[in-house]
Amino acid sequence: MNTSNRRNRWRSGLLLALVAVTAAACAEDKPLNIFEPQGPQADRIHGNTLFILWMATAVFVATFAGAGYIIWKNRVSEEEFNDGEFPEQVHGNPTLEWGWTALPGLILAVVAVVTVPTIFALEEKNDADELDVMVIGQQWWWEYRYDVDGDGFFIDGNGDGVVDELDEGLPLEFSLDPDDVSTAQEMVIPVGQQVDLLITSRDVIHSYWIPRLNGKRDAVPGRIHTWSLEADEAGEYTGWCTEYCGLSHARMRMSVIALPQNDFDAWLANQMLPAAQPDPSDELAIAGKELFGQQCASCHVVDDPDFSYPTILRDSLGDPVLDDTDHEIPTSIFVSPQVAKAAPNLTHFASRSAFGGAIYSQYAELDANDDDLNELGIETYTDLDANYRWNTAQLRRWIANAPSQKDMAPDDRRGMPSFALSDEQLDQLVAYLATLD
Amino acid sequence: MFTWGAKFFFGVSAVALAAAIAYALVTGGSPIGAISIGYKGGVGDHTGYGILLAVSAASMLMGVLSVVVRDADADDLALAAGLDTVPPAQPPRTLSYWGPISAFGIGCLIVGLAVSQAFFILGIIVLVVTLIEWTVLAWSDRATGDPDVNAVVRDRVLGPLEVPMLGTVMFGVIVIGLSRVLLAVSKTGSVVVGSVIAIVIFGGAIAMAKLELSRRVISGLLVAGGLAVLGGGIIGAAVGEREIEHYSEHGSDHGEDGEHSE
Amino acid sequence: MSAETIAADHHDVEDHHPTERQYWVVFVALAIITAAEVAWAEIPLTDDGGPLLVLPMMVMMIAKFILVAGAFMHLYFDTKILNGKFFWWIFGSALLLAVIVYFIVFATFEFSIF
Amino acid sequence: MADVATPAVDGHVDAHHDEHHEGHHTSLGISNMKLAMWLFLGSEVLLFGALISSYLLSVARFNQERAEGNPLVTGPGTELFDIPFTSASSFILLMSSLTMVLAHQAIHHGDVKNSRIWIGATAALGSLFLAGQVYEFTVFYREGLGFTTNLFGSAFFTLTGFHGVHVTGGILMLTSLLVLSFQGKLNKDRHETVELVGLYWHFVDIVWVLIFTIVYLVV
Amino acid sequence: MAIIEEPLALPSGDRPTVSNPLGGLSRPRGATGLKDWLTTVDHKKIGIMYGAAALFFFVIGGIAALGIRTQLAAPDQTLLSGDAYNRVFTMHGTVMVFLAVMPLGAAFANYLLPLQIGARDVAFPRINAFSFWVFLAGGILLNTSWFIGGGANGGWFNYAPNNGVAYSPSTGIDFWNIGLLIAGIGSMTGAVNLITTVLNMRAPGMSWMKMPVFTWMTLVTQFLLLFAIPVLTVAQVLLLLDRGFDANFFNVEQGADPLLWQHLFWIFGHPEVYLMILPAFGIVSETIPVFSRKPIFGYPFMVASGVGIGFMGWGVWAHHMFVSGLGPLSVAAFSAVTMFIAVPTGVKILNWLATMWGGKLLLNTAMLFSIGLVTQFTVGGLSGVMHSVAASDTQQTDTYFIVAHFHYVLFGGALFGFMAGFYFWWPKAFGYKLSEKWGKAHFWTMVAGFNLTFGPMHILGLQGMPRRMQTYSEVQGFGLWNMVATIGSFILGVGSLLILVNAFVSYRAWKRAGRPDVGPDPWDARGIEWMIQSPAPEHNFDVDPVITELDDFWHKKYAEDENGKLVRVATAEELAHPGNGEGVHLPAPSYWPLVLSIGIMIIGYGLIFSLYLCIPGAFIMMTALYGWSLEPADDLDADDHHHGEVEVAHG
Ligand code: HEA
Ligand code: HEA
Ligand code: CUA
Ligand SMILES: [Cu+2]
């Protein structure tokens, strides 16, 4: 099948890229270290940081040396202190004092002059034809949307006949384009290209941070913030959500995978395909699909004609409609699974390397928190699949009882509930999920 | 130590609490709600429940007060005063009209049970007020042998309660009364009525200040004003609010249903 | 307090409040400005907001503010210079602070009342 | 609430104090109470500043959201305002400021009787203003604007409600003054007590000057 | 209670015989023991209660901190669940900031201000008591959430919309909100009170530029409070309305902008951090000159820089929002303004160093802690300047680099300063000195523990460790320094306890020795608070001191001889007031502040659990208010001799 060829192609590309990075950064063991920038934005910041760090160090050394000297030189014993002799009673020295008012002022003026351009530089947008990715935070995972059909991330949500800024201001469930590619946990970008992000959130404030590529930018519900990333080299770059976002804030992580352009294109092409169908001979997976349709498809979207997702909210003209039955829903939960609020889109679940807020690797024995795909000393993807593919045990634990794997509040509609599934059913579901690449 | 007064108050407090819980249950609250002051679960009719609770709390407070004060215990008083004896308490000089008032309160209560909740609540309020006033009065009448001192003592205990309560009631009556009038008349009418009342107050004040009116005239005017507010309020409430058109979303250009705003 | 501190002198220096007439004048001025405000807001010229509506309104509002604070709250008529000035200082700094701070907030929201 | 009541509370206390200790020595030559009142008002400036700002931002967002056609945003907005009525009630509050100064003027000149009249008039006008607010709230509610209806509802009722609570506090102080006066405790020597309540009252009036212009007329 | 307004005049003509028909309800007077503490209006006792409450809360916050550190000692620990961890760090931050450091500032302010300016008490003694009680009520309310609300879980700055019911359904946030609202009432009334006191009650001759630096810094602090608290109050009221009454202020679906909360919080929050540090700056400005035997270097600059910090502190709040999406223009502006706050702060640091320059330094505990502040704060200040560089801050914010910064300024700055203050003024308050031996042990364990705890956090931050993380994995490589920090925190915990040990040990030694008098001026100090007996008598100064100089007491003790050499002209004992309070009329104690606070606290619980509870709360509150207003500030019944004026000339 040609689709599977395409899939193979991007995956081998990923692997090649990973190997390359492994060679480049072998000694790294601090994946989030801010002193190892790997993109131009991070580089800029790095320069800025070093500059101020040295300044601060200089002031630190000077102050401490001065203080140490003064104390060492002037300290006296108790008897001496009380001997009735007094040091010269200096009340001040305005010249000196103006001096040390002005000097730090000058130093800081220099710092400001260096900093301000950097601040603006970080906000520069890419060229119109380059990739934009929409980043949506929610408790406690990240969704990424790729505008593959080139009509923008939004549709005419307010029904006024045009797609404009007004639609962008609407709550996401009314205006996100359901035809875009939606993926989760890891963002895939092309190498060497500035990717602009549109960052927002569906619930509380989160913050998107890939330390090696750029600083943070908050994901604030109701606002769309722009930010950008660029990776100099292919590879995996991990990050953490850095704005406290409630219960599982500590387990809301993410990564960026930078691929060479060709592989990226292949990856994207794959993502645009509908979900793969399980092989007719694979009974386990077929049973799993059925079960998925019953238990899981109410929250998780898998782009497969066998599952039907109601496109509520829209009448024949595409106008949003709130009828009597659904007008109570909007207050705090998702309205339409296509613009997923409830759960990650699983259409291409098996093509990702991490799940559950990127805290679990899909590969056995690997750690999703590390950029350890980079360190994997394996040559071919068959190797990877054969030796590491499917962290089945973890996935089973997750499906059986996600809240035991990660703090969640499914009762408050935040997170995935636990299910009473038999071992057999778990096998079926895992088998089905494995087909979704 | 625990005198009859204190016991009485604690009793009232307990009874009121029980009544509150019973009332809550009867009016459809849940047992937990009734016990936990509505923390979890409902309490049925809020107003009645709240009032009974307040009665309970108030009596509890009074009970504690009278324990601390050791009301009318001649020995304790002597001790406190450092005397061998205190003048014997004398029969109260003041005429107490709290008896009839409490009768009125009970009447309201009974009528209220049969007829309407408003009367019931009124009855309870009257009874609570009576309870507090009467007992403090009774206690203060025996506080010392000097009736004038006793009167002062009474005022000092009840002042902090009476002044704010009376103030609030008066103020509430005025504000609610006036607003009923404004609501009863038309939209333009409300502007006119409001302005007229303002000018009357303002002009009246000027008149009173500048024209050397006699005390009597002034109090007459004030009483008339008060009655006017009260009467206006009652009439206004009886007439009811004018028709006020409910906002509808028709003005905006999408046709969704705007009626369901909470 | 100790004997030396009891100088009950400040009563005679204090408070040369304005006359009743002056209060009335201020009141009438306030009335006129209020009327002018309402009028300005209601005329068709200012229907769609903008600086034409807002600026004059702000001027009139500030005028009222100053009149009430200055005359009724005795900030200007107080002959006791220190007194009035001092209170202006407290109140004014609070005001300045509030205005600046909240304007900056608006600025960061790219907010405009026009 | 404590904020509201303290000035009256200590206004009385301090006056009492003065009586027995003649002029307190103060470094600035101004009374502690007056200074404290001004400080309190300074703090209130920031309070109302924050409230008015929150209101403005909320209304701006509300209007924008309506313009966007957010179907979740329902209910009326600033078009509800009834300018003629609010003008009248603003004017009532202005009048009450005048009666307030006149009350102080009277007590300052030792005219106890007139001071009572003016204090009473101030309280009455204040009550009328509040009645107007109750009226306005009721009308808005009937028209479909509840506290929870939308952002505008929450912001509007909160801002004007806060102001209303301040007016209520002022009326309570004025009533306390009346009680004091009838007890014979409010005389020329204690004119400052009246002045303090007056300061508070005028401040509340000033806040309304701002609210009226900004909230009702401009935005 | 205290319903007696004047001596009862009996119409029957007799002198009032039954002095007290109101029994236990009459005004407290001359009370001792618990009742005394509950009803006192003495600024010194209130100051001590502030201090004790603050230390108590500090231990609570500290235990929470140890919980955090234990959880983070190694990767993948499970001592605290995610939920528990969130509550613990939130309560830690909140308790430390609002209930430990701020009240410590209030403690010193209360105790010292009247003494330093030569006043009898603060301007409104009962309001002062009320400020304390209402603060305590708020603190207790907040801390009961450990037991009945599970603890607040929104982080100490409690961002919207995570603080809404939809995302934080438990009552923890309500406790946070209402507890701090209530405590805020205390801060506000306290600020009005203390500012009035400083502005208006200075002793004759104490002009602006003769005020001690501590007084100045407290004045600035109180102004910051006065203007900052209402902003927080508004934010909290909006939150209260959102959570309790379904308002929409932070309801994003209705179009609300969550950044409104951030602005309101940080407009308060940044002045807040300065008002935590300025009292400590004031304290070391008092100690360093004493133990250097030199006057403070550049007094006018010290004062002006403090005032400057106070002003500039209002223009920088958005530096906490550099990554919130304000837009580059705002970020650049705030970044620049923030940097320049280093200028006035630097002036202070350098002036302290200049004070020590050429002096005679006695390195006793108070001085060591002061030097501790100067150095450790500088570290924190410099990392602060690094944050202010906004571009760089996008990598630092919400990492342990920030955690390191603020613990250096808060613990290394504010707390070290307060410790210096404890050692310095302890004899004035309690009549005996704290042991130097234990003191040095205290200081050194604290310095070691402190740097071991928070120093590594700089590294962790730069290695990318985000804050507010319940756990981390092996592979991130944070293990080593976290372990170091955890070990450090236990040393620091032991160190923090040593002050209590010291107080206890020193007290016992003093008692054994028969309570010897330390004398009015055990340090040969400079301020007029050393002119009265130790512990300070209830009425402070026998007569109002007359001030002629900055450091007036010092100048009364020492004068220059013809060669310009300092010689002693009088001993402290000669100058000291004998502590004779005969005829001094003091404000009488009162129940009402306490009752009022209890009423407010009940209303607070009512807002959290059930509005019905507000009814009795409001009832108690109203009663207290009117009881208060009917009660004169002075109890004339108790005052037999207030007409006799004292005529004691200066010794
Ligand atoms: C006592 C409290 C206190 C103090 C005094 C300070 C002082 C300063 N703070 Fe700090 N700060 C906090 C408490 C404090 N801070 C807290 C609690 C937080 C975190 C809140 C949270 O997120 O939970 C915080 C966070 C914080 C941030 C936000 C970081 C982020 O979250 O991204 C920033 C950013 O600019 C900052 C900056 C500064 C600066 C520039 C100073 C300056 O005032 C420092 C000035 C001092 C010096 C610079 C040292 C001495 C100077 C010299 C020796 C002169 C020469 C110096 C130079 C030429 C540089 N602080
Ligand atoms: C003035 C304020 C103050 C003070 C003094 C401290 C003191 C300490 N703080 Fe903290 N801290 C904050 C203010 C403060 N903190 C704030 C505002 C936050 C941010 C919260 C948020 O993000 O919302 C924070 C957050 C914070 C974190 C980050 C949590 C996170 O982001 O996940 C950590 C982690 O290590 C920490 C540690 C400590 C430690 C170890 C101490 C130690 O110094 C404590 C030492 C004291 C004691 C230990 C108590 C004394 C003794 C005993 C209790 C007896 C028992 C002890 C033994 C037997 C050893 N604090
Ligand atoms: Cu999402 Cu933290
Ligand atoms: Cu700050």
Side-chain angles (χ1 to χ4, degrees), chain A residues 138 140 142 205-207 241-245 249 252:
Chain A
Q138 47 256 297
W140 292 273
W142 293 96
I205 303 179
H206 307 268
S207 193
C241 171
T242 38
E243 188 63 77
Y244 175 65
C245 51
H249 163 64
M252 180 168 171

Side-chain angles (χ1 to χ4, degrees), chain E residues 156-157 273-274 320 341 384 387-388 393 397 402 405-406 467:
Chain E
W156 86 279
F157 43 76
V273 305
Y274 286 119
H320 297 275
I341 274 212
H387 307 324
S388 73
D393 187 59
T397 186
I402 306 292
H405 159 66
F406 66 69
R467 63 193 281 208

Side-chain angles (χ1 to χ4, degrees), chain A residues 52 55-56 59 63 100 103-105 107-108, chain E residues 97 156-157 266 270 272-274 276-277 281 309 319-322 338-339 341-343 345-347 349-350 377-389 393 396-398 402 405-407 409-410 414 467-468:
Chain A
I52 179 65
M55 283 283 189
V59 176
T63 319
W100 62 52
L103 184 68
I107 298 179
L108 291 165
Chain E
V97 167
W156 86 279
F157 43 76
W266 290 120
H270 191 82
E272 160 83 13
V273 305
Y274 286 119
M276 287 192 276
I277 195 70
F281 282 179
I309 292 173
H319 65 215
H320 297 275
M321 302 164 64
F322 280 156
T338 304
M339 285 173 201
I341 274 212
V343 172
T345 321
V347 168
I349 302 272
L350 295 171
F377 176 82
T378 302
V379 177
L382 290 172
S383 57
V385 172
M386 288 187 65
H387 307 324
S388 73
V389 175
D393 187 59
Q396 297 157 15
T397 186
D398 275 312
I402 306 292
H405 159 66
F406 66 69
H407 284 96
V409 283
L410 279 169
R467 63 193 281 208
R468 299 172 161 187

Side-chain angles (χ1 to χ4, degrees), chain A residues 65-264:
Chain A
Y69 170 76
I70 292 170
I71 295 163
W72 189 256
K73 184 155 165 280
N74 295 324
R75 87 211 130 86
V76 297
S77 67
E78 180 133 24
E79 298 78 62
E80 211 179 322
F81 184 74
N82 288 326
D83 63 7
E85 293 292 314
F86 287 92
E88 192 193 342
Q89 301 287 298
V90 185
H91 286 268
N93 180 337
T95 328
L96 211 56
E97 290 169 76
W98 281 116
W100 62 52
T101 309
L103 184 68
L106 279 175
I107 298 179
L108 291 165
V110 174
V111 176
V113 166
V114 173
T115 304
V116 171
T118 319
I119 296 172
F120 283 92
L122 288 174
E123 302 283 337
E124 273 164 21
K125 302 268 162 58
N126 65 7
D127 297 334
D129 57 333
E130 287 175 302
L131 180 70
D132 289 357
V133 180
M134 184 149 185
V135 178
I136 306 178
Q138 47 256 297
Q139 290 175 324
W140 292 273
W141 55 281
W142 293 96
E143 181 193 356
Y144 306 101
R145 300 182 75 86
Y146 293 77
D147 171 30
V148 283
D149 44 10
D151 61 354
F153 292 101
F154 298 98
I155 51 165
D156 177 17
N158 54 16
D160 61 0
V162 283
V163 179
D164 51 13
E165 306 93 69
L166 291 184
D167 297 301
E168 294 178 20
L170 292 177
L172 294 177
E173 63 263 34
F174 296 111
S175 59
L176 279 184
D177 182 354
D179 302 327
D180 288 344
V181 161
S182 160
T183 172
Q185 320 309 0
E186 62 194 18
M187 169 165 33
V188 180
I189 59 168
V191 162
Q193 201 189 96
Q194 177 172 341
V195 179
D196 278 3
L197 310 180
L198 288 76
I199 304 180
T200 185
S201 162
R202 283 202 174 85
D203 37 43
V204 303
I205 303 179
H206 307 268
S207 193
Y208 198 77
W209 185 38
I210 306 291
R212 301 201 158 191
L213 300 185
N214 202 345
K216 308 171 182 75
R217 174 79 9 132
D218 281 0
V220 180
R223 301 171 67 107
I224 296 176
H225 291 152
T226 54
W227 200 227
S228 56
L229 294 179
E230 179 172 344
D232 292 336
E233 283 172 275
E236 184 188 22
Y237 305 91
T238 56
W240 285 29
C241 171
T242 38
E243 188 63 77
Y244 175 65
C245 51
L247 198 50
S248 244
H249 163 64
R251 289 161 197 273
M252 180 168 171
R253 307 177 195 170
M254 60 278 201
S255 57
V256 166
I257 290 179
L259 296 178
Q261 186 71 44
N262 285 345
D263 301 308
F264 174 77

